Structures are given as C-alpha cells and as structure tokens.
Amino acid sequence: MKRLRRAAATKSIDYRETVGSDDEKESKTAPKVANVELEQPCQPEQPPPKKEVFLVPNRVLSTPEIVEAKEDIENDVVSLGELEIRIQERRAELSGMEKLLEELGERIYLKRWTISKLRTFPDELISLIFEAYMKCGDNMNPWLLMQICRHWRSVAIHTRRLWSKIMLGTRGRYHKMRRYHGYEFCYSPALLRDALSRTAEGPIDLTFEFFNYRSSSSGDSDEESKGVLTSLQELVNVLRETDAVSRVRTLELTSTSEDVLRGLNFGCFTFPALREVTLKSSSPSLNEAIQTTARRLQILRIKASPGGRLNWNLSKLTSLVYLKLSASHGLMPLEQDALRTIRSAHGLVELSLSNITLPTSGSEPLRISTLRTLHLNRSTILCRLDLPHLHSLHITKSLLSTGQTDFLFLPSLEYLQLCEITADESPRIRAPSIQTLEIEWPSSAAANAKLLEKVFQQLIKPGHIAPQAICFHSGSIDSKFLAKILYEIPYLTELTFSRSTALSKPFFDALAGFSLPLKPNSQRSPPMCPSLQCLKLGLTGIRRPQCEASMVKWGRLAIRSRCQGQFPIKEALVQEDDNTPWRNLL
C-alpha cells in the first residue's frame, strides 16, 4: 500500500514539473501585454452554400424542382429587363453629355476666335501670309485656305498671286481634280477662263501635262488622236485670245510626247515676262517663240527626248544666267548641238550638263568668261575650255578630258567636288586658289584608295591644288592609308567625314602623334596635319554602334593629347545622324 502511494506521488510531481516547464516556455515566447486579456473573436458559423440541385449532371429533376427552376428563370428575366432599361437610360444620359460637350467646345472656339488678334489683321497682311504659305511646298494650294472662313475665302479670292499656278492637260483620270501638286488643273476652255480670271492680270506659272494621251503607235485610232489635239489646241487658243501668254512667268512642259507638241500651233506667242522655262519635249514653233521674244529669260532647262534635237540659238537671250542641258540615258550624244547651243549663250553664270558630250572643237577653246559654277553629270568633255572666273566645279561620274596634254588652268576655282568618279576619270586641273576639296567615294575601299592616291599624286603633291579643307563622303577606306596621305598635307586646316566613313584606331593614333591611350613614358612624334583647326566626324550611315562609340572615344583622346602637345584643334564636332545638328565632340 505504501509502495502504491509513493508511486502515485512521484507521477504527480513529474506531471507538475512537465506542465510547469511548458508554461514557462510559453510565457517566454509569448508577447508581454500588461493588464490586457486577449480574447479570440467569435466567428459565427457560416451556413453551407446552397447547391443548385438541378445543375447536378445526370440527375432527373422532380416536379417541384422544375417548378422552382422556372420561377427562378422568370425572376432573372425580369431583373435582366430592368438592368437593360437602366443601361439605356445611362447611355441616353451619356449621349446628351457628349452633345453638350461638343457644343461647349464650339462655343469656346468661337469665343476665342472673336477675341483673337488675327481678326484685327488687315487684309493686306493676311494676303502676304497666304503668299508665304504657298511657298512652303509644291503641294500648297489656295483651296484649303478658302475652307477656313468667309473672310479668308474673300481674301484668298482677291489675292491674285495665289492663283498663278495653272496646269493644262487632257481629260484623263485626273479630270475630276481641281488641283494637282498646287496647280489648278484645266482641261476645258471654260475652266481655263475661270482660272485666268482669278489671276486678275497677275503673273502666271503655266504647266503642260498630258495625263491620258497615248500616241497612235500605242494603238489609238487617228480620230482619238485628233480629238486630243483638238482639245489641247482649244486651250492654246484661249491663251492667245486672252493675251495670257504675255503674263506667263514660268513655263514647264513635262510631257515627253513629241507628236503632241508638234501638232500644236504656238505661232504668234510672245513671252515678255517669261523668267524660267523647263522643257522635256520639243516644239519648233514654241522654241522659236521663246528664243525670239523671251528677252527676260533667266533660267532655261532643256531635255532632249528620243528623236529630239538641241537646235537652240540663245544669242538673243541676254538675261540668261542658268542653262541646263540633258539627254535621256543611253541616247546618242548630241555633241555638235550641245556645243553650238552653249557657244550661243552669252552671260552664263551657271551651266549644268547631264548625259552630254562636248566634242573637240579644233584650236578654238570654249570660252565662257562669266561662268561661275559648272556641273557635270555622266558627261564627257573633250573640247578645250577657257573658264577664267569659274569658282565651283562639280564632277559626277564624268570625264573631264580637255583634249590637251597640259593641265586645265582654272585661276579662280575655289571649290572642287569629285563624286563617284574612278581613278581614270580624275581631272587634270591646276587651281592655285582652291580652298575646298570634296570627295564622295565611288565604291569599294580599294577603288577609294586608288582614287585618293591618284588625286594626291596628280594634283596635290605637285602643287596643282592646295586645298585648305577636305571633306570625305559615303565610303570606306583603309585608315592607315588615309593617315599616310594626310601626313603629306601639313597645311590642311579643316577635315570633315560626313557620311558612312568608318575610322579605326590607327587614324586617331596618327592624329594624336602616338599610340593611344596616352602613357607617361610614351614617345611623341609630329601629329598628322599639324595646322588642323577643325575636325568633324559624321556618324551617319555607319550602322555599327560599336564603331561609332570607338570613333568618339579615340577622337576625344586624340584631341586632348594634341592640346597637351601644342597642336590644339579649336573646333571638334560630331553628328549622330542627318536630323541632328553638329555638337561639340568634347
């Protein structure tokens, strides 16, 4: 009995110790809150969700359940109808608010217009603004200005310079258009008379464009061709009857249909106010009228179409300062015609030749004492030239072979541009006054290097030209070879790389005078172009971000090192693309 009591007492003691230790652990880990008894909120028991018994699959509903489902459907249909009614009411309310918003916007616009200072502008000033607007582009037309308000419409109608552009043509697929590229399109005498009345005896810019005409060789019948010529002749007769030809300021014939123009009668036309002419077709009667009566003509562009000639005598056009002669690509060169036409012009300031060949002219050179600018595009010059006052020479895929063993002497030449020519086409000129040489690379790096070597050995090294500025365009070239050439031009003051010319580290090493980056014990040597004052790096067209970043990096280091070595560059610029301005490289 005693043994049982002792065992029970021992178990109770162990139990108290165990419980006490657990309570102590809980008291140590539990947060201490003074005089506050924490009570757990009572959570009400949620009733189990009602289950739609009729949605249980593969279960047949009883009759009461079917009745209950029908009642639920009727109630839901009623609720759906009420909701649709509310939505319609809200939509009607929203529509009314949107209409009110539009009315308020119009009222605000009208109120702002009534207090705008533009309403106080005099009509003369508005007319000047309209004229400036018309000069912003070829597609600008006064019809848009007339749609703004009645006041602007009245001012536009009474501003005669807005209606100077008139286009004559046939009734084709554009006959429903009142305007075309800024011109008022007239295909009938009535439309032409209305257009002329709006000019109010002001200057006229006249253009001939035959949209729907096809020659008889393309399958048209003779009757249809005669109908087209008859309609065009009626328009020409209106110009003659109204004496509108005397007010024509610019004349352009964009059609290439020779048979159309030859069938029209431009007899008795006089052009006392004509300033600019562009002819892509030839009409003997029209050409004769221009040559004999356009005494104030300043700009003349002539393109010889297949089968055409350049039989022009410009001796009576004493005011002519710009002449452009061109022929279709692949056309037989109009050698004697072009040379005869150029010789007949006196007082030319600018001459442009495209797909033209000037043959040798014996011992007598082609002398144009007043010429300042000469453009050669895919042309060949074989005759001797005497251009004592030429300032600018542009050569594009052309051969300038003056037919003499000596170099062509151009004492006043200041600007020379070589665009996409090969080494064999390098010109033989001597220009002691040249200031700028611009080279646009022809193709591959090898061809570019060959051209640069030829220009250097033939022109620069002998001293025939000594350019102060050189600009390279669009091409690749070996940087070491380029640096080697530029080392021989110590007097160069400006160097520009405008497009697609990737430069590597050896070029910038030569520019700095040592291998970059700068080290404390690095040996210096005279840098390339010691007189250089301006460097421009154009990154347009390189399309390699890593190369662009390296050019900017090495360019900055080279410029800073030159400043430390007493060869500073005053201006260093870089351009990321054509749409961004040049910015400081440093």
Side-chain angles (χ1 to χ4, degrees):
M1 195 67 182
K2 291 181 180 180
R3 290 179 180 177
L4 291 176
R5 289 177 180 175
R6 289 176 183 174
T10 303
K11 290 181 179 181
S12 63
I13 292 172
D14 295 338
Y15 176 76
R16 286 196 301 270
E17 290 177 357
T18 304
V19 174
S21 61
D22 294 338
D23 295 339
E24 290 177 0
K25 291 180 180 179
E26 292 179 0
S27 63
K28 289 180 180 180
T29 57
K32 296 180 180 180
V33 181
N35 301 326
V36 176
E37 293 183 358
L38 299 178
E39 297 182 356
Q40 296 295 334
C42 297
Q43 297 293 341
E45 295 183 0
Q46 298 292 339
K50 183 179 179 181
K51 188 174 183 179
E52 300 291 349
V53 294
F54 55 86
L55 294 180
V56 177
N58 300 327
R59 183 178 180 276
V60 180
L61 299 180
S62 62
T63 302
E65 291 175 346
I66 294 175
V67 173
E68 181 182 0
K70 290 182 178 181
E71 292 177 356
D72 293 342
I73 292 173
E74 293 177 357
N75 296 334
D76 292 341
V77 169
V78 173
S79 301
L80 181 62
E82 294 177 354
L83 184 59
E84 289 179 352
I85 294 174
R86 293 174 60 187
I87 290 175
Q88 292 177 0
E89 293 176 354
R90 297 294 185 273
R91 286 178 178 174
E93 183 179 357
L94 181 60
S95 177
M97 295 175 64
E98 290 178 350
K99 186 177 180 180
L100 180 60
L101 180 64
E102 185 177 353
E103 294 177 355
L104 289 175
E106 292 180 357
R107 289 173 55 186
I108 293 173
Y109 174 78
L110 293 176
K111 293 296 183 181
R112 287 178 176 175
W113 172 247
T114 56
I115 63 176
S116 174
K117 293 183 179 180
L118 186 60
R119 298 189 65 208
T120 62
F121 285 5
D123 294 347
E124 294 80 2
L125 181 58
I126 298 178
S127 297
L128 294 176
I129 295 175
F130 288 172
E131 293 176 14
Y133 160 79
M134 293 293 293
K135 297 178 181 179
C136 293
D138 295 336
N139 293 330
M140 302 300 176
N141 58 80
W143 302 98
L144 178 61
L145 301 174
M146 296 175 61
Q147 299 175 7
I148 305 301
C149 62
R150 295 180 180 178
H151 182 209
W152 281 27
R153 179 184 177 86
S154 175
V155 174
I157 290 178
H158 292 87
T159 304
R160 63 183 186 182
R161 293 185 181 89
L162 301 182
W163 309 97
S164 62
K165 294 185 176 182
I166 299 177
M167 177 179 290
L168 305 183
T170 56
R171 186 184 178 93
R173 58 192 178 99
Y174 294 97
H175 70 277
K176 295 182 179 180
M177 299 175 56
R178 298 186 67 180
R179 53 190 179 276
Y180 181 81
H181 288 289
Y183 286 82
E184 184 174 359
F185 185 58
C186 302
Y187 56 86
S188 67
L191 293 177
L192 180 56
R193 293 180 186 276
D194 293 341
L196 293 176
S197 64
R198 280 188 286 268
T199 61
E201 302 299 325
I204 300 175
D205 300 323
L206 190 62
T207 299
F208 283 81
E209 180 64 72
F210 311 130
F211 293 110
N212 201 34
Y213 180 80
R214 294 176 297 173
S215 61
S216 58
S217 60
S218 62
D220 289 351
S221 62
D222 294 339
E223 296 181 359
E224 185 175 356
S225 300
K226 291 180 180 179
V228 172
L229 292 176
T230 301
S231 61
L232 292 175
Q233 188 62 51
E234 292 178 354
L235 299 177
V236 174
N237 294 337
V238 171
L239 295 176
R240 183 185 295 108
E241 294 170 1
T242 57
D243 196 25
V245 179
S246 61
R247 297 186 283 120
V248 174
R249 178 177 54 188
T250 63
L251 177 63
E252 182 178 3
L253 273 71
T254 60
S255 175
T256 58
S257 300
E258 292 284 342
D259 49 353
V260 175
L261 293 177
R262 289 173 183 173
L264 297 178
N265 181 17
F266 293 96
C268 301
F269 270 27
T270 58
F271 298 97
L274 195 59
R275 298 291 191 276
E276 181 178 350
V277 174
T278 301
L279 300 178
K280 295 182 180 180
S281 301
S282 177
S283 171
S285 59
L286 181 61
N287 296 351
E288 182 67 22
I290 294 174
Q291 295 175 67
T292 55
T293 62
R295 301 299 178 87
R296 298 182 180 181
L297 186 64
Q298 299 178 355
I299 301 174
L300 177 60
R301 303 181 184 91
I302 306 174
K303 182 177 181 180
S305 57
R309 298 292 301 274
L310 290 175
N311 295 327
W312 283 76
N313 184 5
L314 309 179
S315 58
K316 295 182 179 181
L317 305 180
T318 57
S319 301
L320 188 65
V321 294
Y322 176 83
L323 175 63
K324 180 179 181 180
L325 301 178
S326 61
S328 301
H329 184 64
L331 194 66
M332 293 297 294
L334 307 173
E335 299 179 353
Q336 298 298 334
D337 291 350
L339 187 60
R340 190 184 307 110
T341 301
I342 296 173
R343 286 186 182 277
S344 65
H346 304 289
L348 279 182
V349 177
E350 185 172 354
L351 175 63
S352 178
L353 302 178
S354 179
N355 293 319
I356 297 294
T357 298
L358 298 183
T360 56
S361 57
S363 59
E364 183 181 359
L366 176 61
R367 178 180 175 82
I368 310 177
S369 59
T370 57
L371 195 65
R372 298 293 187 272
T373 304
L374 176 60
H375 298 266
L376 301 177
N377 182 21
R378 300 179 184 271
S379 300
T380 302
I381 308 299
L382 301 176
C383 62
R384 298 177 58 193
L385 299 177
D386 185 7
L387 310 173
H389 297 97
L390 188 67
H391 287 180
S392 178
L393 177 59
H394 307 258
I395 304 177
T396 302
K397 296 182 180 180
S398 301
L399 176 62
L400 181 60
S401 177
T402 58
Q404 55 191 10
T405 57
D406 196 8
F407 284 74
L408 174 62
F409 182 58
L410 302 173
S412 302
L413 188 65
E414 297 181 356
Y415 178 84
L416 174 61
Q417 182 187 31
L418 306 177
C419 181
E420 299 184 16
I421 67 173
T422 62
D424 298 334
E425 297 173 342
S426 178
R428 295 166 55 87
I429 62 175
R430 185 159 56 92
S433 302
I434 196 167
Q435 298 293 324
T436 303
L437 173 62
E438 187 172 334
I439 298 177
E440 184 169 347
W441 304 116
S443 55
S444 62
N448 299 341
K450 188 176 181 181
L451 172 62
L452 183 59
E453 177 71 16
K454 184 70 174 291
V455 171
F456 175 75
Q457 295 293 341
Q458 183 173 276
L459 300 179
I460 298 179
K461 189 174 182 179
H464 297 313
I465 63 173
Q468 303 296 315
I470 297 181
C471 180
F472 297 101
H473 290 279
S474 302
S476 59
I477 192 172
D478 183 70
S479 296
K480 292 183 178 180
F481 178 78
L482 179 61
K484 178 182 176 182
I485 295 295
L486 294 178
Y487 259 118
E488 303 295 331
I489 314 177
Y491 48 82
L492 193 66
T493 59
E494 183 176 344
L495 184 59
T496 302
F497 300 91
S498 65
R499 289 181 58 88
S500 305
T501 302
L503 302 173
S504 58
K505 184 175 177 294
F507 173 82
F508 296 101
D509 291 343
L511 184 64
F514 55 86
S515 180
L516 297 171
L518 178 62
K519 297 180 180 179
N521 298 326
S522 59
Q523 294 182 356
R524 292 177 177 271
S525 61
M528 174 185 68
C529 304
S531 302
L532 193 64
Q533 299 296 317
C534 179
L535 175 65
K536 296 181 180 180
L537 299 177
L539 307 180
T540 304
I542 295 180
R543 299 178 181 177
R544 287 181 290 173
Q546 186 176 1
C547 181
E548 297 176 2
S550 64
M551 288 177 62
V552 174
K553 172 186 174 181
W554 298 122
R556 290 173 178 173
L557 292 177
I559 293 170
R560 291 170 181 171
S561 63
R562 285 177 67 101
C563 294
Q564 298 176 4
Q566 299 179 355
F567 296 100
I569 295 179
K570 296 182 179 179
E571 187 178 21
L573 304 176
V574 64
Q575 185 184 37
E576 284 77 9
D577 54 69
D578 293 335
N579 298 325
T580 58
W582 292 89
R583 62 177 179 85
N584 191 355
L585 180 59
L586 300 178

